Amino acid sequence: MKNILIGILIAGILFVSFLYLDAKKMPSPQSYFVQSTHVFYKRLDRQYSHRTVLFIGDSLIQGLAVSEISKDAINFGIGTDTVGNVRARLSDYKSTSNTDCIFIGVGINDLIRGQSLASTLSEFSLLLASLSDHPRVIVGELLPVNSLSAKLKRIAGDISAFNLMLAEEIDKYDNVSLVKQYDIFLNDGNELSTIYHVGDGLHLNTSGNKLWIEHLKRQLPQHHCEVET
């Protein structure tokens, strides 16, 4: 009986260890979402002919009705995405070289995860360098947040500083320009106005997205990116 109990105990330990090791190999739900959405976008990418604008970035881009900006725009935004991952994804899309211009909206998740301004800027430099052959790349300023949580409060004051750093970096590239858009969402306290977010201090609601759409419809042509409405 004693030997049987010892055998059961050992088997139990091995089983739990197997589950632990197997779980370590499995992607996190967040990682799985990014990977599966990227695979889906690659499938769509093969079906597109020439398009005007490729929008790529994080959840703010993913939630934007880009066809309201230009009727043949493409949206490859993925929630939780970072600057480095956008660079990696772009190399997989033929639309990168099959569009008149690329609009990039990303960077807030890098800061939320604790990455420094300098490190995030370095990632942006690599991203822009990888697009040096594209005729027109447009980068949107990081949008403001509202300090409704500790993580947003931590980065709220850094966003405007990062936008200034980003503008200086973009000046190094002849094919890249920066869309000013941070200020249009601010309240009197220099944070994202409550009338423009869904309640989490970060993501835009319908009013916020409509404001953004109208702003980009005016701004993109000024950056040599003609929209087709």
Short mmCIF file of all heavy atoms in Angstrom, two decimals, residues 3-44:
data_model
loop_
_atom_site.label_atom_id
_atom_site.label_comp_id
_atom_site.label_asym_id
_atom_site.label_seq_id
_atom_site.Cartn_x
_atom_site.Cartn_y
_atom_site.Cartn_z
N ASN A 3 3.86 1.59 -1.19
CA ASN A 3 4.46 1.78 -2.52
C ASN A 3 3.45 2.35 -3.51
O ASN A 3 3.80 3.17 -4.38
CB ASN A 3 5.00 0.45 -3.05
CG ASN A 3 6.23 -0.01 -2.29
OD1 ASN A 3 6.91 0.80 -1.67
ND2 ASN A 3 6.49 -1.31 -2.32
N ILE A 4 2.19 1.93 -3.36
CA ILE A 4 1.15 2.45 -4.25
C ILE A 4 0.94 3.93 -4.01
O ILE A 4 0.83 4.73 -4.95
CB ILE A 4 -0.17 1.68 -4.02
CG1 ILE A 4 -0.02 0.22 -4.48
CG2 ILE A 4 -1.32 2.36 -4.79
CD1 ILE A 4 -1.23 -0.64 -4.18
N LEU A 5 0.90 4.34 -2.74
CA LEU A 5 0.72 5.75 -2.40
C LEU A 5 1.89 6.60 -2.91
O LEU A 5 1.69 7.71 -3.42
CB LEU A 5 0.57 5.91 -0.88
CG LEU A 5 -0.72 5.36 -0.28
CD1 LEU A 5 -0.68 5.46 1.24
CD2 LEU A 5 -1.93 6.11 -0.84
N ILE A 6 3.10 6.04 -2.78
CA ILE A 6 4.28 6.77 -3.27
C ILE A 6 4.20 6.93 -4.79
O ILE A 6 4.50 7.98 -5.34
CB ILE A 6 5.57 6.03 -2.87
CG1 ILE A 6 5.77 6.12 -1.34
CG2 ILE A 6 6.79 6.64 -3.58
CD1 ILE A 6 6.94 5.29 -0.83
N GLY A 7 3.75 5.86 -5.46
CA GLY A 7 3.63 5.92 -6.91
C GLY A 7 2.62 6.95 -7.35
O GLY A 7 2.83 7.69 -8.31
N ILE A 8 1.47 7.00 -6.63
CA ILE A 8 0.43 7.98 -6.95
C ILE A 8 0.96 9.39 -6.74
O ILE A 8 0.71 10.31 -7.54
CB ILE A 8 -0.82 7.73 -6.09
CG1 ILE A 8 -1.49 6.41 -6.49
CG2 ILE A 8 -1.82 8.90 -6.24
CD1 ILE A 8 -2.63 5.99 -5.59
N LEU A 9 1.72 9.60 -5.65
CA LEU A 9 2.29 10.91 -5.34
C LEU A 9 3.25 11.36 -6.43
O LEU A 9 3.21 12.51 -6.89
CB LEU A 9 2.99 10.87 -3.99
CG LEU A 9 3.68 12.17 -3.54
CD1 LEU A 9 2.64 13.28 -3.40
CD2 LEU A 9 4.43 11.96 -2.23
N ILE A 10 4.14 10.45 -6.86
CA ILE A 10 5.11 10.78 -7.91
C ILE A 10 4.41 11.11 -9.22
O ILE A 10 4.74 12.07 -9.92
CB ILE A 10 6.10 9.61 -8.11
CG1 ILE A 10 6.99 9.46 -6.87
CG2 ILE A 10 6.96 9.85 -9.35
CD1 ILE A 10 7.88 8.23 -6.90
N ALA A 11 3.37 10.31 -9.54
CA ALA A 11 2.63 10.55 -10.78
C ALA A 11 1.95 11.91 -10.73
O ALA A 11 1.91 12.64 -11.72
CB ALA A 11 1.59 9.44 -10.98
N GLY A 12 1.42 12.25 -9.54
CA GLY A 12 0.77 13.55 -9.39
C GLY A 12 1.74 14.69 -9.57
O GLY A 12 1.43 15.70 -10.23
N ILE A 13 2.94 14.55 -9.00
CA ILE A 13 3.96 15.59 -9.14
C ILE A 13 4.37 15.76 -10.60
O ILE A 13 4.50 16.88 -11.10
CB ILE A 13 5.19 15.26 -8.27
CG1 ILE A 13 4.82 15.37 -6.79
CG2 ILE A 13 6.35 16.20 -8.58
CD1 ILE A 13 5.91 14.86 -5.85
N LEU A 14 4.55 14.63 -11.29
CA LEU A 14 4.94 14.69 -12.70
C LEU A 14 3.85 15.34 -13.55
O LEU A 14 4.13 16.11 -14.47
CB LEU A 14 5.24 13.28 -13.22
CG LEU A 14 6.51 12.63 -12.67
CD1 LEU A 14 6.61 11.19 -13.15
CD2 LEU A 14 7.74 13.42 -13.12
N PHE A 15 2.59 15.03 -13.22
CA PHE A 15 1.47 15.59 -13.98
C PHE A 15 1.39 17.10 -13.80
O PHE A 15 1.22 17.85 -14.77
CB PHE A 15 0.16 14.93 -13.53
CG PHE A 15 -1.06 15.46 -14.24
CD1 PHE A 15 -1.27 15.17 -15.58
CD2 PHE A 15 -1.98 16.24 -13.56
CE1 PHE A 15 -2.39 15.66 -16.23
CE2 PHE A 15 -3.10 16.73 -14.21
CZ PHE A 15 -3.30 16.44 -15.55
N VAL A 16 1.51 17.55 -12.55
CA VAL A 16 1.47 18.99 -12.29
C VAL A 16 2.65 19.68 -12.95
O VAL A 16 2.51 20.78 -13.52
CB VAL A 16 1.47 19.26 -10.76
CG1 VAL A 16 1.65 20.75 -10.48
CG2 VAL A 16 0.19 18.75 -10.14
N SER A 17 3.83 19.06 -12.93
CA SER A 17 5.01 19.65 -13.57
C SER A 17 4.80 19.76 -15.07
O SER A 17 5.18 20.76 -15.69
CB SER A 17 6.25 18.78 -13.29
OG SER A 17 6.51 18.72 -11.91
N PHE A 18 4.17 18.74 -15.65
CA PHE A 18 3.90 18.78 -17.09
C PHE A 18 2.97 19.93 -17.44
O PHE A 18 3.19 20.67 -18.41
CB PHE A 18 3.27 17.45 -17.54
CG PHE A 18 2.76 17.46 -18.95
CD1 PHE A 18 3.64 17.33 -20.02
CD2 PHE A 18 1.40 17.62 -19.21
CE1 PHE A 18 3.18 17.34 -21.31
CE2 PHE A 18 0.94 17.64 -20.51
CZ PHE A 18 1.83 17.50 -21.56
N LEU A 19 1.92 20.11 -16.63
CA LEU A 19 0.99 21.21 -16.88
C LEU A 19 1.68 22.55 -16.76
O LEU A 19 1.43 23.47 -17.54
CB LEU A 19 -0.18 21.15 -15.89
CG LEU A 19 -1.19 20.00 -16.08
CD1 LEU A 19 -2.26 20.06 -15.00
CD2 LEU A 19 -1.84 20.07 -17.47
N TYR A 20 2.58 22.66 -15.77
CA TYR A 20 3.30 23.93 -15.56
C TYR A 20 4.20 24.24 -16.75
O TYR A 20 4.19 25.35 -17.28
CB TYR A 20 4.12 23.86 -14.29
CG TYR A 20 5.03 25.03 -14.09
CD1 TYR A 20 4.53 26.27 -13.71
CD2 TYR A 20 6.41 24.91 -14.29
CE1 TYR A 20 5.36 27.37 -13.53
CE2 TYR A 20 7.25 26.00 -14.11
CZ TYR A 20 6.72 27.22 -13.72
OH TYR A 20 7.56 28.29 -13.55
N LEU A 21 4.96 23.24 -17.19
CA LEU A 21 5.87 23.46 -18.31
C LEU A 21 5.11 23.72 -19.59
O LEU A 21 5.50 24.56 -20.41
CB LEU A 21 6.79 22.23 -18.48
CG LEU A 21 7.81 22.01 -17.35
CD1 LEU A 21 8.51 20.67 -17.54
CD2 LEU A 21 8.82 23.15 -17.32
N ASP A 22 3.99 23.02 -19.79
CA ASP A 22 3.21 23.22 -20.99
C ASP A 22 2.58 24.61 -21.00
O ASP A 22 2.52 25.26 -22.04
CB ASP A 22 2.11 22.15 -21.06
CG ASP A 22 1.45 22.09 -22.43
OD1 ASP A 22 2.19 21.96 -23.41
OD2 ASP A 22 0.23 22.20 -22.50
N ALA A 23 2.15 25.08 -19.83
CA ALA A 23 1.56 26.41 -19.74
C ALA A 23 2.58 27.48 -20.07
O ALA A 23 2.26 28.51 -20.67
CB ALA A 23 0.99 26.64 -18.34
N LYS A 24 3.85 27.25 -19.70
CA LYS A 24 4.89 28.22 -20.00
C LYS A 24 5.11 28.36 -21.50
O LYS A 24 5.52 29.41 -21.99
CB LYS A 24 6.21 27.82 -19.32
CG LYS A 24 6.19 28.00 -17.82
CD LYS A 24 7.50 27.56 -17.20
CE LYS A 24 8.62 28.49 -17.55
NZ LYS A 24 9.89 28.14 -16.91
N LYS A 25 4.82 27.28 -22.26
CA LYS A 25 5.01 27.32 -23.70
C LYS A 25 3.86 28.01 -24.42
O LYS A 25 3.99 28.45 -25.54
CB LYS A 25 5.15 25.89 -24.25
CG LYS A 25 6.37 25.14 -23.73
CD LYS A 25 6.38 23.72 -24.25
CE LYS A 25 7.54 22.91 -23.70
NZ LYS A 25 7.50 21.51 -24.16
N MET A 26 2.70 28.04 -23.76
CA MET A 26 1.52 28.61 -24.39
C MET A 26 1.58 30.13 -24.38
O MET A 26 2.01 30.73 -23.40
CB MET A 26 0.26 28.13 -23.66
CG MET A 26 0.01 26.64 -23.76
SD MET A 26 -1.41 26.13 -22.79
CE MET A 26 -2.73 27.02 -23.61
N PRO A 27 1.16 30.77 -25.46
CA PRO A 27 1.15 32.24 -25.47
C PRO A 27 0.09 32.78 -24.53
O PRO A 27 -0.93 32.13 -24.27
CB PRO A 27 0.80 32.56 -26.93
CG PRO A 27 0.05 31.37 -27.41
CD PRO A 27 0.67 30.19 -26.71
N SER A 28 0.34 33.96 -23.99
CA SER A 28 -0.65 34.61 -23.14
C SER A 28 -1.86 34.96 -24.00
O SER A 28 -1.76 35.05 -25.22
CB SER A 28 -0.06 35.86 -22.52
OG SER A 28 0.19 36.83 -23.53
N PRO A 29 -3.05 35.16 -23.36
CA PRO A 29 -4.22 35.58 -24.16
C PRO A 29 -3.94 36.83 -24.98
O PRO A 29 -4.39 36.95 -26.12
CB PRO A 29 -5.28 35.82 -23.08
CG PRO A 29 -4.88 34.94 -21.94
CD PRO A 29 -3.38 34.93 -21.96
N GLN A 30 -3.20 37.78 -24.40
CA GLN A 30 -2.86 39.01 -25.12
C GLN A 30 -1.99 38.71 -26.33
O GLN A 30 -2.24 39.19 -27.43
CB GLN A 30 -2.13 39.97 -24.17
CG GLN A 30 -1.78 41.31 -24.79
CD GLN A 30 -0.99 42.17 -23.83
OE1 GLN A 30 0.21 42.02 -23.69
NE2 GLN A 30 -1.68 43.07 -23.16
N SER A 31 -0.96 37.87 -26.12
CA SER A 31 -0.07 37.51 -27.22
C SER A 31 -0.82 36.74 -28.30
O SER A 31 -0.62 36.96 -29.49
CB SER A 31 1.09 36.66 -26.68
OG SER A 31 1.90 36.19 -27.73
N TYR A 32 -1.72 35.84 -27.88
CA TYR A 32 -2.49 35.07 -28.84
C TYR A 32 -3.38 35.98 -29.68
O TYR A 32 -3.51 35.80 -30.88
CB TYR A 32 -3.34 34.02 -28.13
CG TYR A 32 -4.24 33.25 -29.06
CD1 TYR A 32 -3.72 32.23 -29.87
CD2 TYR A 32 -5.60 33.55 -29.18
CE1 TYR A 32 -4.53 31.53 -30.75
CE2 TYR A 32 -6.41 32.86 -30.06
CZ TYR A 32 -5.87 31.85 -30.84
OH TYR A 32 -6.67 31.17 -31.72
N PHE A 33 -3.97 36.98 -29.04
CA PHE A 33 -4.83 37.93 -29.76
C PHE A 33 -4.04 38.67 -30.82
O PHE A 33 -4.49 38.79 -31.97
CB PHE A 33 -5.44 38.93 -28.76
CG PHE A 33 -6.12 40.10 -29.42
CD1 PHE A 33 -7.35 39.94 -30.06
CD2 PHE A 33 -5.54 41.36 -29.42
CE1 PHE A 33 -7.98 41.01 -30.67
CE2 PHE A 33 -6.16 42.43 -30.04
CZ PHE A 33 -7.39 42.25 -30.66
N VAL A 34 -2.85 39.15 -30.48
CA VAL A 34 -2.02 39.88 -31.44
C VAL A 34 -1.63 38.96 -32.60
O VAL A 34 -1.74 39.33 -33.77
CB VAL A 34 -0.77 40.46 -30.75
CG1 VAL A 34 0.19 41.05 -31.79
CG2 VAL A 34 -1.16 41.53 -29.74
N GLN A 35 -1.17 37.76 -32.27
CA GLN A 35 -0.71 36.84 -33.31
C GLN A 35 -1.84 36.41 -34.24
O GLN A 35 -1.68 36.40 -35.47
CB GLN A 35 -0.09 35.60 -32.65
CG GLN A 35 1.21 35.89 -31.90
CD GLN A 35 1.70 34.70 -31.11
OE1 GLN A 35 1.27 33.56 -31.35
NE2 GLN A 35 2.59 34.94 -30.17
N SER A 36 -3.00 36.07 -33.67
CA SER A 36 -4.11 35.60 -34.51
C SER A 36 -4.67 36.73 -35.37
O SER A 36 -5.05 36.51 -36.52
CB SER A 36 -5.22 35.01 -33.63
OG SER A 36 -5.73 35.96 -32.72
N THR A 37 -4.72 37.96 -34.82
CA THR A 37 -5.20 39.09 -35.61
C THR A 37 -4.22 39.41 -36.74
O THR A 37 -4.65 39.74 -37.86
CB THR A 37 -5.39 40.33 -34.73
OG1 THR A 37 -6.22 40.01 -33.62
CG2 THR A 37 -6.04 41.47 -35.51
N HIS A 38 -2.93 39.29 -36.47
CA HIS A 38 -1.93 39.52 -37.50
C HIS A 38 -2.08 38.50 -38.64
O HIS A 38 -1.99 38.86 -39.82
CB HIS A 38 -0.53 39.44 -36.89
CG HIS A 38 0.59 39.58 -37.87
ND1 HIS A 38 0.64 40.59 -38.81
CD2 HIS A 38 1.71 38.83 -38.07
CE1 HIS A 38 1.73 40.46 -39.54
NE2 HIS A 38 2.39 39.40 -39.12
N VAL A 39 -2.32 37.25 -38.29
CA VAL A 39 -2.53 36.21 -39.31
C VAL A 39 -3.76 36.55 -40.15
O VAL A 39 -3.75 36.41 -41.39
CB VAL A 39 -2.68 34.83 -38.65
CG1 VAL A 39 -3.17 33.79 -39.66
CG2 VAL A 39 -1.37 34.38 -38.03
N PHE A 40 -4.81 37.02 -39.51
CA PHE A 40 -6.02 37.42 -40.22
C PHE A 40 -5.74 38.58 -41.18
O PHE A 40 -6.19 38.58 -42.33
CB PHE A 40 -7.09 37.81 -39.20
CG PHE A 40 -8.35 38.37 -39.80
CD1 PHE A 40 -9.27 37.53 -40.41
CD2 PHE A 40 -8.62 39.73 -39.75
CE1 PHE A 40 -10.44 38.04 -40.96
CE2 PHE A 40 -9.78 40.24 -40.31
CZ PHE A 40 -10.70 39.39 -40.91
N TYR A 41 -4.98 39.56 -40.70
CA TYR A 41 -4.65 40.71 -41.55
C TYR A 41 -3.79 40.29 -42.74
O TYR A 41 -3.94 40.83 -43.84
CB TYR A 41 -3.91 41.78 -40.74
CG TYR A 41 -4.78 42.60 -39.82
CD1 TYR A 41 -4.23 43.27 -38.73
CD2 TYR A 41 -6.16 42.71 -40.03
CE1 TYR A 41 -5.02 44.03 -37.88
CE2 TYR A 41 -6.95 43.46 -39.18
CZ TYR A 41 -6.38 44.13 -38.11
OH TYR A 41 -7.16 44.88 -37.27
N LYS A 42 -2.88 39.35 -42.53
CA LYS A 42 -2.06 38.88 -43.65
C LYS A 42 -2.94 38.23 -44.72
O LYS A 42 -2.67 38.36 -45.92
CB LYS A 42 -1.00 37.89 -43.15
CG LYS A 42 0.14 38.54 -42.40
CD LYS A 42 1.35 37.63 -42.29
CE LYS A 42 1.09 36.43 -41.43
NZ LYS A 42 2.32 35.60 -41.27
N ARG A 43 -3.99 37.55 -44.29
CA ARG A 43 -4.91 36.94 -45.24
C ARG A 43 -5.65 38.02 -46.04
O ARG A 43 -5.82 37.92 -47.25
CB ARG A 43 -5.89 36.05 -44.48
CG ARG A 43 -6.71 35.10 -45.35
CD ARG A 43 -7.62 34.25 -44.49
NE ARG A 43 -6.88 33.60 -43.42
CZ ARG A 43 -7.35 33.46 -42.18
NH1 ARG A 43 -8.54 33.93 -41.86
NH2 ARG A 43 -6.62 32.84 -41.27
N LEU A 44 -6.10 39.07 -45.34
CA LEU A 44 -6.75 40.18 -46.03
C LEU A 44 -5.78 40.90 -46.96
O LEU A 44 -6.15 41.29 -48.07
CB LEU A 44 -7.29 41.18 -45.00
CG LEU A 44 -8.56 40.83 -44.24
CD1 LEU A 44 -8.89 41.95 -43.24
CD2 LEU A 44 -9.74 40.62 -45.18
#
